[in-house]
Amino acid sequence: MAQFTLNSTINDVENYFGEEGRLLFPVDRPFNPNETIAQISNSAHYIWYSAIHATKMLEILNYLAAQSQERQIFYPIYSKEEIAAHPSRANTGLYFFKGRSKAPFAINNAGGGFAYVAAMQDSFPHALEISKHGYNAFALIYRPTNPYEDLAQTITFIEDHAEELEVDPRHYSLWGGSAGARMAAELGNRDVLYQLTGRMDIPQADAVIMQYTGFSRVSSADAPTYVSVGDSDWIADWRTMKQRLFYLDQLGIPTEFHVYSGLNHGFGLGEGTVAEGWINDAIKFWKANMKN
């Protein structure tokens, strides 16, 4: 098993994982393959993100390295024929953070302003923590130009391969930060889900877990929604997020809102900040809203 360190380079990581490692780092931003984990752990590389920790990146990479010796860690969401028809689909797929067999699953969508996918900061850490609670978690690498199509395809893929993946197809949650939160909110809506998947047999998400985005549309078809955001966020105003939950409450849809003093955009898990541990509350919210 590889033991990556702060001095390991992007090239070291990608060479170890082979094709399964090609999408671990953003393909839509110019990362130098000779840069080390320490050198890329900053907001110059992961723009719009704060509270970036190289040690968390190492934990993720070493976890995936260990797991890759025992099972498949990456799943394409499109077939070879579908990729041949649209080559950009080659830059999509799921990294699987496995929990208990037959447990519910979460799909995590990183932000990145629909310019790139900041998975190392905004979906991999969440997926790893969710798996530690025993739930199955997927981190989606999507095309910034086709995010909703790729998330709809992901939901369909997991539902159709639930037995192989050993997940509960009846219960799932959609998670996202920033741009990824918009994806989660859209596909968490029952009507949008049916429209984009073309499938009436796929259940609606039990919960949507959103971080720092100004998404404001409200519908009676929306899912129970949990929100966390900082009051110093210069991109997503916490008041906008709180107002949306007020209207969801008026429709009888369960909500939970948390705003954290002094936090900026893109705090992720919030480790070392006043938001640390918020993900435990979010998991409880999801569990409380699981449909019978």
Side-chain angles (χ1 to χ4, degrees):
M1 181 191 76
Q3 284 293 325
F4 298 112
T5 70
L6 292 177
N7 293 321
S8 298
T9 65
I10 292 176
N11 198 47
D12 292 336
V13 173
E14 292 181 342
N15 284 341
Y16 177 84
F17 286 104
E19 185 60 25
E20 288 192 331
R22 189 176 66 84
L23 300 177
L24 285 169
F25 302 100
V27 297
D28 299 293
R29 281 186 58 75
F31 279 41
N32 185 326
N34 294 315
E35 289 182 300
T36 66
I37 300 303
Q39 290 172 329
I40 67 172
S41 300
N42 54 61
S43 57
H45 286 76
Y46 288 94
I47 56 174
W48 303 307
Y49 281 87
S50 58
I52 296 173
H53 300 284
T55 52
K56 176 57 68 173
M57 194 180 300
L58 287 180
E59 182 185 1
I60 291 162
L61 291 172
N62 285 318
Y63 163 85
L64 289 172
Q67 290 291 302
S68 70
Q69 301 301 307
E70 303 174 8
R71 62 175 179 84
Q72 186 173 343
I73 62 168
F74 179 80
Y75 291 83
I77 57 174
Y78 293 104
S79 67
K80 292 180 180 179
E81 293 74 20
E82 289 170 326
I83 292 173
H86 298 280
S88 66
R89 289 172 174 168
N91 289 333
T92 68
L94 295 173
Y95 285 96
F96 186 16
F97 294 73
K98 193 170 180 58
R100 298 187 307 270
S101 177
K102 304 298 183 181
F105 67 92
I107 301 173
N108 296 263
N109 307 283
F114 294 126
Y116 79 110
V117 180
M120 277 293 177
Q121 306 304 328
D122 217 23
S123 60
F124 290 163
H126 302 63
L128 180 58
E129 293 305 310
I130 292 167
S131 71
K132 291 177 182 179
H133 284 259
Y135 298 105
N136 295 291
F138 299 89
L140 170 61
I141 307 300
Y142 59 89
R143 294 168 295 168
T145 54
N146 299 86
Y148 303 105
E149 176 185 333
D150 292 342
L151 180 51
Q153 176 70 13
T154 293
I155 295 169
T156 301
F157 175 85
I158 297 173
E159 291 288 337
D160 289 346
H161 294 83
E163 185 172 351
E164 170 194 345
L165 296 168
E166 297 184 325
V167 303
D168 180 353
R170 299 166 300 171
H171 298 296
Y172 69 97
S173 54
L174 297 175
W175 298 57
S178 198
R182 290 177 176 268
M183 295 165 59
E186 285 283 13
L187 270 295
N189 179 281
R190 183 173 56 254
D191 296 337
V192 176
L193 173 70
Y194 295 158
Q195 177 187 353
L196 294 185
T197 62
R199 297 270 297 271
M200 299 290 290
D201 60 311
I202 295 177
Q204 182 181 21
D206 289 321
V208 167
I209 313 297
M210 304 178 67
Q211 290 185 275
Y212 33 77
T213 192
F215 184 84
S216 58
R217 183 189 52 73
V218 173
S219 164
S220 60
D222 285 331
T225 302
Y226 178 104
V227 162
S228 67
V229 62
D231 68 1
S232 295
D233 195 317
W234 55 279
I235 296 175
D237 192 318
W238 65 270
R239 299 171 189 85
T240 300
M241 300 192 77
K242 186 174 184 180
Q243 183 179 44
R244 177 170 182 260
L245 294 199
F246 169 80
Y247 290 121
L248 289 178
D249 285 336
Q250 295 299 300
L251 293 170
I253 296 171
T255 68
E256 188 170 328
F257 178 78
H258 295 269
V259 60
Y260 297 103
S261 178
L263 286 195
N264 207 326
H265 195 75
F267 57 82
L269 293 181
E271 292 177 313
T273 75
V274 293
E276 185 166 1
W278 75 265
I279 193 169
N280 300 320
D281 293 332
I283 292 171
K284 290 177 183 176
F285 178 84
W286 171 26
K287 184 177 180 180
N289 285 285
M290 286 183 184
K291 303 178 184 72
N292 292 326

